[in-house]
Amino acid sequence: MFYGQRGDAMPTDEIKERLKNAWVWQKQLEADLQMLQDLRDLAEQITPVYSLAPGGGSSNDKLGGTVAKMADVEVSVQSDIRMLTEALAATRALIKMLDDEKLQLILFKRYLNYQRWEVIAADLGYSWQYIHKMHSKALQKLKEEIECEY
């Protein structure tokens, strides 16, 4: 449901946070993928030492620990992918609530393509200030659309 904590209509800041949700999950996924790559690199550097002496094999313990961490991170990556997919779908659905295609385009570029304001302005041939004004208008229209639904 799109309502604030006190039953009030959702403020535009909360709408903006929902739109940013996909970006947050994208960054989390990127961090986990980097961690996984770092662990793989570490695992490749660990060379097993075979010893007939009892208690040997400390590098095997390191390798085992690294492989276990990799498995944990791989589970996290799968969770991140699922959450990112859901967040992208929710963001897309929220943006599609707008009737104005120009406003949709601005929001798509910002919240799904993760483009900076300056890039959006240059791409669409508008000033940076105008893009911000249109963004505020889009958030306000989304707020009104959501309030109409409930």
Side-chain angles (χ1 to χ4, degrees), residues 80-92:
D80 292 347
I81 290 170
R82 187 178 62 258
M83 295 303 291
L84 175 59
T85 302
E86 291 172 10
L88 288 169
T91 301
R92 189 176 312 278

Side-chain angles (χ1 to χ4, degrees), residues 77-103:
V77 164
Q78 292 305 314
S79 174
D80 292 347
I81 290 170
R82 187 178 62 258
M83 295 303 291
L84 175 59
T85 302
E86 291 172 10
L88 288 169
T91 301
R92 189 176 312 278
L94 195 56
I95 293 170
K96 285 288 191 179
M97 291 175 76
L98 293 171
D99 291 332
D100 187 323
E101 290 179 359
K102 187 189 325 181
L103 296 180

Side-chain angles (χ1 to χ4, degrees), residues 130-142:
Y130 181 74
I131 293 297
H132 271 280
K133 181 179 174 182
M134 296 305 289
H135 175 257
S136 294
K137 181 179 177 181
L139 294 178
Q140 187 59 41
K141 284 190 174 261
L142 273 177

Side-chain angles (χ1 to χ4, degrees), residues 13-78:
D13 285 347
E14 194 170 333
I15 293 170
K16 194 179 344 180
E17 288 306 311
R18 285 183 180 261
L19 290 167
K20 287 180 182 178
N21 199 20
W23 179 83
V24 171
W25 282 109
Q26 176 71 34
K27 292 301 172 190
Q28 180 63 46
L29 176 60
E30 289 171 6
D32 283 346
L33 288 172
Q34 183 60 53
M35 184 184 303
L36 186 59
Q37 185 59 49
D38 292 346
L39 288 169
R40 284 183 179 141
D41 293 345
L42 179 63
E44 288 175 6
Q45 292 174 3
I46 298 172
T47 54
V49 176
Y50 300 104
S51 171
L52 297 175
S58 64
S59 64
N60 287 340
D61 294 340
K62 257 199 237 182
L63 184 59
T66 302
V67 169
K69 286 179 191 173
M70 286 171 55
D72 289 344
V73 173
E74 285 175 354
V75 168
S76 183
V77 164
Q78 292 305 314

